Structure formats: structure tokens, C-alpha cells
Amino acid sequence: MPVPWFLLSLALGRSPMVLPLERLVGPQDATHCSPGLSCHLWDNDILCLPGDIVPALGPVLVPTHLQTELVLRCGKETDCDLCVRVAVHLAVHGHWEEHEDEKKFGGAADPGLEKPRNASLQAQVVLSFQAYPTARCVLLEVQVPAALVQFGQSVGSVVYDCFEAALGSEVQIWSYTQPRYEKKLNLTQQLPALPWLNVSADGDNARLVLNVSEEQHFSLFLYWKQVQGPPKPWWQKNLTGPQIITLNHTDLVPCLCIQVWPLELDSFRTNICPFREDPRAHRNLWRAARLRLLTLQSWRLEALCPLPAEAALCWQAPGGDPCQPLVPPLSWENITVNKVLEFPLLEGHPNLCVQVNSWEKLQLQECLWADSLGPLNDDVLLLETRGPQNNRSLCALEPSGCTSLPSRASTMAARLGEYLLQDLQSGQCLQLWNDDLGALWACPMDKYSHKRWALVWLACLLFAAALSLFLLLRKDHAKAAARGRAALLLYSADDSSFERLVGALASALCELPLRVAVDLWSRRELSAQGPVAWFHAQRRQTLQEGGMVVLLFSPGAVALCSEWLQDGVSVPGANCPHDAFRASLSCVLPDFLQGRASGRYVAACFDRLLRPDAVPALFRTVPVFSLPSQLPDFLGALQRPSAPRPRRLRERAEQVSRALQPALESYFHPPGTPGQGRGVGPGTGDGT
């Protein structure tokens, strides 16, 4: 819609009726180019699909520079629109590849192959415009004669008339070729705004001054401009002017824009984005940005405005040392605000943190996994590098750098290098990342700290220290024996009766004593943390303390495993929000697939409910016990290496069996059920 002549005069800062801008007559777009070049504008707009960069097989035309100019497109003498003219400067990049005959014989190739080198060059140049809510892409065909083709030299320009835009709008312009050989050129053109909106400083705050008459009704709209799609609204209000509005300095961000228009039919809207270059706005944007962990591997950077940033993982050791970027072996990744991103991790770790850089400056750092996995651990990170012919090397990450193992250096990791390598080979280290080029391992260091202090006591106090250590070890042994070994019990919540049976087993095991963790007793924590985070924390704590994870199989658990392993049908009732068994499969399966389950897991099932051979074959790589018939062996597997004598073990098995009998009778013979009672599922025993 044409802009009234008087408003154009005000916006351009001229005296009314005096507009020196060039005028274009007619509504059609047009193009023209430098002397010697030929160009043509496609009749219709095209889709804005830049595609990926492809290699050039010879010399090609590419855009090198964009230049804009404001012009007027007029239908009548005083009936004009403001329009953006764009000049695209072009140059020849690339060169002809040397022919095989020339490489081989050092002379000229077949004369028939020389023709392309003397031919003209053609290119399809795309111009993309975006000025919310309008977006367009036009295609310009350009041909350069052979006489002007000089490698690395400019050949001239092609001019497009023109893109219409509203007063006060911001026009984003991109240019590239089809196919695309280089990065897109980008330019921003800010159109003049009407003078009734002005932004000034008010101390640390910003003041909006709206110079309109007292009778004028208008609307004021504040929004956050986005690179793509509609803006995010902040607030809008209808006012009667003039008005002075103060914005708090903490609310200023680079993409905060202001739109104002009279409350009249088809009125013109003025847009300005005055804080794009304001340092306070950029500081506020990063201060409000947040990193949010979504799953074990996925996360998101949340911010109000689009911003250029890249992220990488780093390792934060206790003690206040700087977080050490894991680049290499990992790399910096470009990130998009408010978009889900992933890191190729096998396991989370509280010492793993995310660093976000912008313009080579650290802006954010958060240890995302610490919330679910606890505080920083006294672990050392081992970096494994794999080379050709299965060669591999290991180094330990320390504040001074990465210390090769084994090494004669005087660092802590070098002195403990032999023990760390033994821990790695025995499966005591947690693998965090793995690919063809290397791996990352987290190995516990706390036990070595204890040994070092014990040696200091022995050297300083001799016999007295040895006696104290002996008494301390006895005390610790008695305390550990009284406390019992940790056991994490995982099961599928088939129904409420089976949950009661599981609860009876867990209560009986606690009397041995064993320290049993089961989701039945942790519903509040499970709801607060989510099944995945709860299981991950319990599994890590159990295994760090030398405990066991017990997989209690039922027909529902077998069917659920089949769904994971064979893409089967979902199990009815298996989607309970408190079902930790379903959540645990994503972490349990890698341990079995990579051979790390032995000594850390056992499996069990109940007599008459499921035969041991019905347990999926993958999980039969660890001992599988049928309860209560194999209770002595089951309890023996759960005990510490210093297990009680066989007689004591049989007594404990009888104790657990007696505690289980009422729950088993209630499960298989519910009250009011005649005959055999509850039906059993596939793979069940015969009751003998």
C-alpha cells in the first residue's frame, strides 16, 4: 500500500514535498547489469532453499559483496512506496583442473578439451529478502563473456529493483548461487522510521518517547524479534498520546523491538529495534540464558533471542581448578537457541560440564548432570586414543595437562598410573564416550587417597599408627558388616499383587541385613526426579559401593525386554509413571551388550510364575535364580566376599522363605479364588 507523501517526507527527514530519492515508475520488478554482462530476472518468485555447499569443478561466478540503496516506486506523482534496491557484485572463483594428459606428459592436452576454457560463464544468483511478515526469493540469471573471465577477478554487478518494505522495518538480505559454492552473503538494511517514536537514555534505563497529539489513539507493541517465524510478543497496549514509557535496563535484550501505529483503518506501523548493539542488552541476554538437561544425552540452550554460539564438554575436577575442555577428542558444536541438541555420551557423570562460547568468549558453563548424579566426584578422566593397526595410548587428564600412562612424571596420576590401568582392565572405570578414534573413562580415585594417608600415618607414628589403623579397620569392618551390602531391586510392575510380592522379598532381604533400594519405597523421589534419573543415581551408588543390581523377571518384564530387543508390542500396563524397570532398560542393556554385567548383576524369578530358561538369553549371561527354591544360592550371590558359612546361609534362606510364604500364597491363591488360583503366564513352571 503506497505511503502518504507527507509521511515519507517526515520519515526521510526532508522538508515536505522534497524527496531526492530516485523514482521507479511501474509495479514490475526489474534487473540490469554492468556493461558486458547479460542478465535476466525470472518472472515468478522461487522457494528459498539454499541447499548445501558443493565443490566447484571449474571456474564459477559467486557473489562477493552486497550493496543497497533506497528508492521510490511510484504509481503516480505522489503515490509511492519505499523500496530497497540491491546490487550484487560478482567475481570468478576456482580454476580448471589440470587434465590427466598434461600431468602425465607435461604438455598440452587434446585441443578439443580447450573449448570449455574459452567459453562464457553462467550463474543463477538468488536474492532472499525477509522483513516480517514478508519474505521473498528472486532468481537472477547472469552470463559473463569469455573475455571477462579472469580467475579471482571481479566481473561487475547485477542490480535488482526492488524489494518493497514498510517504514521502520528491518530488511534481512541474503545472496547465494544455485548450486551453492560458498557461504551465503548477508546484509541488514534498516529503513527510516516515522519521527513520532524516539528512544533515549534515562539513567541505566531506556525511555520511549511517543510524540503524538493528545487526541491521537495508537497501539504500542513490544516483542522479541526472531530470525525465522513470527516474533514472540511481550506486551501490547492501546494508549492516547503523547506518552513517555520507561523500560527497566534488566529487560533490554538485543532482539527487543518496538512497533507503534495509529488506531485507524490500514494505518502504517513503525518498527524499530534500538538495542541490537547495546552492550547491556547482550549482557542481559547471556545472564538470562539457561542450559537445560532433557535426557542423558540431549539438552537445550534456552534464551529469548537468537545468538551465535558453540558448545563443548569439559571436565570439572574438585578443588576449584578451571574446567578442562575435552577438545579434542570431542569438538566444538554450533548450537541453535531453543533447539534440542545431543552429545554422544554413553553415561552421564557429575564432573561433566557444558561450556558455551560466543565470539571466542566463555558465556555459560553448567555441570548439567550434577543435579541428578550428585556433587563432583574425586575421579580421574582417562583419554584413550586409537591409531592404525589397533595401536592405542592412554593419558590421565590433570590440571597441568594430559599425563601419559604409564609415565615417570611426578604428578599424582603418574604415580598411580599402574593402579589406574589395572582398574581400567578390571572394569572398575566408567566409560563415558566411545568411537573409532578413542574413548573417555572415569576412574575412581578416592581409594588411593585413603591409601596415601594410611602410608603417611604408618611412616610418622610407626607402631602407634599401625595399631590405630588396625583398630580403625576393625571398626570399619564391623560397621560394614552391620550395615550390609547394597542391593538395587528392579522389577516390572505387572499388577498390585506382584508389587506386594516384591515388597515382601525386599523387606525379608533387609533383615539379613542387606541395604535394599526399590522404587516401591522411593515413590516421592521417583516422581520428583523421574524414573531415568532416579534409577541412574541408584545404580551408580549401588555399584560404587560394591553392591549388586537384582533384575527380578516376571512375564511382564520378559515381554517388556522383548519389546526393547525385538521391537515387539507394548506391554499393557507397562507405562506406569513409577515403573523404574522400563526406565532402567536404556542403561542396563549397554552393560550386558558390552560384557560389563558379570559380578554386578544377578537375575531372579519366582517358582511357578516363570522358568529361568524363559528369561531372555542376553540376561542369562549372569546367574539366574528361581525363588524360593534357590534362595541359598541367591543369598550367597548377594553377600560380600567374606560371606557367612554355609550353615548360616541356609538359616538365612529359611528365614527369607518363611517371610515370603504368605505373600506367595496370597499371589497364587487370591482370597475368593477357587481351584488353582491365579493363572500363570508363558514360560512359567509347573509348580513342582
Side-chain angles (χ1 to χ4, degrees):
M1 177 179 176
V3 182
W5 194 255
F6 181 74
L7 293 182
L8 271 178
S9 301
L10 290 177
L12 297 174
R14 317 292 185 192
S15 299
M17 309 304 295
V18 180
L19 290 175
L21 297 183
E22 180 180 344
R23 301 185 189 184
L24 306 176
V25 179
Q28 292 81 18
D29 294 347
T31 185
H32 58 275
C33 45
S34 301
L37 277 63
S38 60
C39 51
H40 169 70
L41 172 66
W42 275 36
D43 294 335
N44 300 317
D45 290 356
I46 65 171
L47 294 176
C48 302
L49 300 173
D52 297 327
I53 296 178
V54 298
L57 302 180
V60 293
L61 286 176
V62 295
T64 59
H65 178 61
L66 294 178
Q67 191 173 357
T68 60
E69 179 185 1
L70 293 181
V71 296
L72 295 177
R73 170 173 283 171
C74 303
K76 298 179 182 179
E77 181 67 21
T78 59
D79 188 7
C80 300
D81 284 314
L82 201 57
C83 212
V84 180
R85 168 185 287 168
V86 181
V88 183
H89 296 265
L90 303 169
V92 178
H93 285 191
H95 55 83
W96 291 109
E97 296 291 339
E98 187 179 358
H99 194 265
E100 291 297 329
D101 293 344
E102 296 178 84
K103 293 181 181 178
K104 185 173 182 180
F105 301 108
D110 188 343
L113 299 175
E114 294 293 326
K115 275 189 175 181
R117 305 189 179 202
N118 298 322
S120 61
L121 287 182
Q122 294 182 341
Q124 291 186 333
V125 180
V126 177
L127 277 174
S128 173
F129 301 92
Q130 184 174 2
Y132 180 79
T134 304
R136 291 183 60 195
C137 278
V138 298
L139 183 64
L140 313 175
E141 289 188 333
V142 185
Q143 184 169 354
V144 180
L148 296 180
V149 177
Q150 298 183 13
F151 304 135
Q153 298 297 317
S154 174
V155 297
S157 62
V158 57
V159 178
Y160 168 73
D161 285 326
C162 58
F163 177 75
E164 296 180 11
L167 285 172
S169 63
E170 181 183 83
V171 183
Q172 294 281 346
I173 307 170
W174 291 271
S175 181
Y176 51 90
T177 58
Q178 285 187 341
R180 187 159 65 97
Y181 301 111
E182 294 189 357
K183 293 182 178 180
K184 296 184 291 184
L185 290 183
N186 176 241
L187 181 66
T188 301
Q189 175 69 52
Q190 179 68 53
L191 271 63
L194 293 172
W196 55 47
L197 176 61
N198 187 23
V199 180
S200 60
D202 182 13
D204 290 336
N205 301 324
R207 175 188 296 168
L208 306 183
V209 180
L210 293 99
N211 296 315
V212 297
S213 63
E214 294 183 1
E215 299 81 14
Q216 178 69 61
H217 300 279
F218 63 93
S219 187
L220 182 66
F221 176 43
L222 272 67
Y223 62 93
W224 296 294
K225 182 179 177 63
Q226 305 299 302
V227 173
Q228 294 181 345
K232 293 182 179 179
W234 183 15
W235 63 267
Q236 179 179 347
K237 196 170 185 180
N238 294 334
L239 302 169
T240 301
Q243 292 281 345
I244 297 178
I245 299 173
T246 300
L247 297 178
N248 193 297
H249 68 93
T250 58
D251 294 328
L252 306 182
V253 291
C255 63
L256 179 61
C257 299
I258 305 159
Q259 186 180 82
V260 61
W261 68 95
L263 292 176
E264 301 171 355
L265 185 63
D266 294 331
S267 59
F268 294 95
R269 302 192 177 198
T270 298
N271 294 270
I272 61 171
C273 302
F275 309 110
R276 287 176 301 174
E277 307 300 330
D278 192 328
R280 298 173 302 170
H282 286 272
R283 288 194 296 269
N284 290 339
L285 177 61
W286 281 111
R287 194 175 293 123
R290 291 291 180 268
L291 296 174
R292 185 178 301 278
L293 183 67
L294 304 177
T295 65
L296 171 65
Q297 295 177 320
S298 62
W299 59 285
R300 181 173 60 217
L301 173 61
E302 298 178 347
L304 285 174
C305 304
L307 43 81
E310 55 183 2
L313 287 174
C314 65
W315 180 262
Q316 180 65 67
D321 291 319
C323 197
Q324 297 172 277
L326 301 180
V327 181
L330 302 178
S331 60
W332 288 98
E333 300 288 344
N334 292 326
I335 58 177
T336 303
V337 171
N338 301 323
K339 182 180 179 181
V340 177
L341 306 161
E342 290 191 353
F343 280 125
L345 292 175
L346 300 176
E347 297 279 355
H349 194 282
N351 295 34
L352 281 177
C353 306
V354 177
Q355 287 184 335
V356 178
N357 279 10
S358 181
W359 305 113
E360 298 184 355
K361 179 181 179 182
L362 179 63
Q363 299 288 357
L364 282 178
Q365 177 179 306
E366 290 189 30
C367 300
L368 298 179
W369 292 269
D371 290 340
S372 58
L373 302 182
L376 299 179
N377 289 348
D378 189 18
D379 291 358
V380 63
L381 188 70
L382 300 187
L383 277 66
E384 178 183 348
T385 304
R386 297 167 184 159
Q389 300 178 353
N390 296 325
N391 292 330
R392 75 169 190 168
S393 60
L394 284 165
C395 68
L397 193 63
E398 297 186 280
S400 58
C402 207
T403 304
S404 299
L405 298 181
S407 172
R408 295 183 178 179
S410 58
T411 64
M412 171 93 55
R415 291 193 293 269
L416 300 175
E418 181 180 350
Y419 300 104
L420 292 173
L421 294 176
Q422 290 176 0
D423 288 347
L424 180 62
Q425 294 172 359
S426 63
Q428 297 185 43
C429 298
L430 182 67
Q431 189 176 42
L432 306 179
W433 170 79
N434 182 47
D435 74 354
D436 295 337
L437 300 179
L440 295 174
W441 305 83
C443 299
M445 285 282 288
D446 50 356
K447 57 183 178 181
Y448 301 117
S449 300
H450 296 162
K451 288 183 178 179
R452 188 168 64 254
W453 282 111
L455 291 175
V456 172
W457 275 101
L458 286 171
C460 298
L461 303 178
L462 298 177
F463 176 77
L467 182 59
S468 299
L469 181 61
F470 173 73
L471 295 176
L472 179 61
L473 290 175
R474 287 193 59 186
K475 180 179 179 181
D476 287 345
H477 178 76
K479 182 178 179 181
R483 192 183 181 197
R485 194 181 192 187
L488 174 59
L489 192 58
L490 298 176
Y491 68 98
S492 172
D494 292 2
D495 52 41
S496 58
S497 298
F498 186 74
E499 285 191 316
R500 286 194 293 271
L501 183 56
V502 172
L505 175 62
S507 298
L509 293 178
C510 287
E511 299 295 326
L512 292 184
L514 285 171
R515 291 183 293 110
V516 179
V518 62
D519 66 343
L520 278 172
W521 301 340
S522 306
R523 286 289 166 83
R524 179 177 299 176
E525 294 84 355
L526 196 67
S527 298
Q529 300 176 17
V532 174
W534 181 86
F535 166 74
H536 193 84
Q538 294 295 329
R539 169 184 168 276
R540 179 174 179 81
Q541 180 179 351
T542 299
L543 296 182
Q544 280 188 337
E545 295 176 0
M548 297 287 286
V549 179
V550 180
L551 302 177
L552 190 57
F553 282 91
S554 62
V558 171
L560 188 57
C561 292
S562 300
E563 178 187 356
W564 275 78
L565 297 172
Q566 303 175 7
D567 195 24
V569 182
S570 297
V571 183
N575 294 321
C576 171
H578 301 302
D579 192 355
F581 189 88
R582 169 181 288 271
S584 67
L585 284 179
S586 60
C587 296
V588 167
L589 286 175
D591 286 344
F592 281 86
L593 292 173
Q594 298 175 16
R596 301 197 305 257
S598 179
R600 308 166 85 183
Y601 292 81
V602 295
C605 57
F606 288 106
D607 298 340
R608 294 192 295 163
L609 182 61
L610 192 75
R611 293 195 306 269
D613 58 1
V615 173
L618 176 65
F619 299 97
R620 295 203 301 271
T621 56
V622 299
V624 181
F625 304 99
S626 185
L627 308 180
S629 60
Q630 294 181 327
L631 264 174
D633 295 335
F634 174 70
L635 297 181
L638 296 184
Q639 300 297 321
R640 294 184 182 275
S642 56
R645 297 176 181 177
R647 180 179 177 182
R648 179 60 176 162
L649 201 58
R650 285 194 299 271
E651 292 175 356
R652 291 183 174 179
E654 292 173 359
Q655 175 185 343
V656 174
S657 180
R658 287 193 300 270
L660 275 178
Q661 284 307 316
L664 289 169
E665 289 295 327
S666 176
Y667 181 84
F668 290 106
H669 301 285
T673 304
Q676 288 186 335
R678 179 184 299 271
V680 290
T684 59
D686 57 5
T688 59

